């Protein structure tokens, strides 16, 4: 289907984009890579009068170090995150997740910030961002504010970004030297996961000293598996010890039931995938 007709604006700065949002309010919609928004417009699930394209704002793209954090611009493509040496060195979990996100064409158009702002509970970046304790920098008329990942994902397709605000960058604390793995369960290649698990693990002589685990599609937002993390610390990276910790993966979850799987099936998957993800992250 063809989208309903809209006006197209291409601001060259964040200030111009914010001014356009302020002027057009509810009638406006931001477009980044368009990989989620365009299907929505084509199906006429949304019909904005104005589309504001962030593609011309050079400052929103790129990856840099800032002390103990990596800063990823919202308009950085999935491909650029996937192939970036700094991300691989300091936030390997993101590299692992981007590797499994959609296909090469979508990774060249879709953006890191767009995927997180879209907040699809089946999206592959929310759980890794949550697990790594990312912070989201949001710009509005009054300046910028920083929101912790735990507060950023509010509900299904809903984030802390206000209607008159923009996500400009994501700050990811460095996890240098940590092992990482993203274990994704799909029935069809290059699609969103039925369930996935993001795991980053720090080990010392075969013992897990710190762990970060995030769950994809086990609720209306990404979920941090705190019970698993606590159970892993001090344990050897063995099949039995990790399986015992992974059994707690369903604590605090509220998995959906849909055509891809019932809630109890997803709960089973979460435990199996957590065990696999942690063992792979620990190099066991
Ligand atoms: C066939 C197909 C398969 C896919 N498979 C997967 C998959 O396996 N895993 C996965 O995670 N994703 C998948 N995707 C989605 C893909 O990751 C998209 O890139 C992503 O969801 C949206 O990023 P985008 O840059 O294209 O954002 P857009 O589509 O342009 O925007 C998405 C939403 O975010 C808002 N937005 C965008 N940027 C900002 C910003 N800076 N500030 C505020 N709001 C903003 C927009 O207004 C819109 O509501 C798939 C997409 C397709 C078409």
């Amino acid at each position: 289907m063809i989208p309903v007709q809209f006006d197209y604006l291409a601001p060259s700065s964040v200030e111009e984009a914010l001014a356009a949002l302020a002027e057009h309010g509810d009638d406006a919609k931001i477009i980044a890579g368009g990989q989620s928004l365009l299907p929505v417009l084509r199906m006429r699930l949304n019909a904005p009068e104005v589309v504001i394209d962030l593609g011309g704002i050079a400052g929103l793209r790129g990856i840099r170090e800032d002390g103990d954090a990596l800063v990823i611009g919202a308009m950085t493509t999935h491909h650029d995150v996937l192939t970036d040496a700094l991300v691989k060195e300091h936030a390997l979990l993101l590299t692992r997740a981007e590797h499994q996100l959609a296909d090469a064409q979508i990774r060249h158009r879709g953006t890191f910030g767009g995927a997180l702002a879209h907040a699809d509970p089946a999206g592959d970046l929310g759980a890794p961002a949550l697990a790594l304790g990312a912070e989201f920098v949001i710009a509005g008329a009054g300046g910028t504010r920083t929101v912790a990942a735990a507060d950023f994902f509010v509900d299904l397709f809903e984030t802390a970004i206000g209607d008159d605000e923009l996500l400009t960058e994501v700050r990811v604390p460095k996890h240098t030297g940590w092992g990482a793995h993203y274990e994704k369960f799909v029935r069809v290649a290059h699609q969103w996961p039925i369930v996935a698990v993001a795991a980053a693990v720090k080990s010392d002589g075969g013992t897990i000293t710190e762990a970060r685990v995030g769950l994809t599609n086990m609720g209306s937002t990404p979920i941090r598996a705190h019970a698993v993390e606590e159970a892993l610390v001090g344990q050897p990276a063995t099949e039995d010890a990790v399986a015992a910790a992974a059994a707690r993966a369903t604590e605090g979850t509220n998995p959906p039931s849909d055509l891809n799987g019932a809630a109890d099936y997803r709960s089973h998957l979460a435990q199996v995938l957590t065990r696999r993800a942690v063992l792979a992250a620990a190099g066991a």
Side-chain angles (χ1 to χ4, degrees):
M1 219 191 292
I2 307 288
V4 172
Q5 192 170 352
F6 54 78
D7 287 338
Y8 173 81
L9 300 180
S12 55
S13 68
V14 170
E15 292 70 28
E16 274 184 42
L18 290 172
L21 274 178
E23 183 182 345
H24 299 286
D26 284 352
D27 298 330
K29 196 79 186 147
I30 293 292
I31 190 165
Q35 298 304 294
S36 294
L37 184 65
L38 284 178
V40 166
L41 299 189
R42 291 175 68 102
M43 286 186 279
R44 300 199 174 190
L45 297 172
N46 200 325
E49 290 175 14
V50 178
V51 169
I52 304 168
D53 187 351
L54 302 185
I57 307 178
L60 290 180
R61 185 180 282 225
I63 299 166
R64 61 184 164 87
E65 287 180 276
D66 182 13
D68 292 338
L70 280 187
V71 184
I72 303 177
M75 287 298 289
T76 310
T77 63
H78 298 304
H79 171 80
D80 285 351
V81 176
L82 172 61
T83 54
D84 188 83
L86 284 175
V87 175
K88 192 172 180 189
E89 183 180 357
H90 300 297
L92 181 63
L93 185 54
L94 294 179
T95 312
R96 297 282 188 247
E98 288 281 19
H99 182 68
Q100 297 195 52
L101 186 149
D103 57 37
Q105 284 171 306
I106 290 162
R107 290 197 296 266
H108 272 88
R109 290 294 309 173
T111 66
F112 189 73
L116 290 163
H118 189 52
D120 184 337
D124 285 307
L125 297 183
L130 184 64
L132 294 178
E135 293 180 327
F136 294 76
V137 181
I138 297 171
T144 60
R145 61 193 178 100
T146 302
V147 176
D151 301 320
F152 180 77
F153 299 103
V154 175
D155 205 345
L156 205 71
F157 299 107
E158 190 185 337
T159 69
I161 306 171
D163 288 344
D164 54 353
E165 293 182 314
L166 288 177
L167 177 66
T168 56
E169 58 191 28
V170 182
R171 299 177 63 86
V172 183
K174 287 181 182 172
H175 285 69
T176 318
W178 289 51
H181 187 76
Y182 189 67
E183 185 77 18
K184 173 169 170 173
F185 188 82
V186 281
R187 288 199 309 190
V188 181
H190 303 146
Q191 282 293 345
W192 292 264
I194 296 172
V195 174
V197 177
V201 168
K202 195 172 180 188
S203 308
D204 185 5
T207 299
I208 295 171
T209 55
E210 287 182 79
R212 305 267 185 277
V213 181
L215 308 175
T216 306
N217 221 3
M218 285 295 289
S220 60
T221 64
I223 293 174
R224 181 107 176 248
H226 288 291
V228 176
E229 294 175 358
E230 285 161 20
L232 284 171
V233 173
Q235 296 297 321
T238 60
E239 184 87 28
D240 286 350
V242 172
R248 302 186 62 184
T250 55
E251 289 182 26
T253 64
N254 184 20
S257 285
D258 56 29
L259 288 177
N260 286 316
D264 59 348
Y265 176 62
R266 280 193 163 87
S267 293
H268 172 71
L269 275 179
Q271 294 171 324
V272 172
L273 302 181
T274 298
R275 173 174 52 80
R276 290 183 192 163
V278 171
L279 285 170

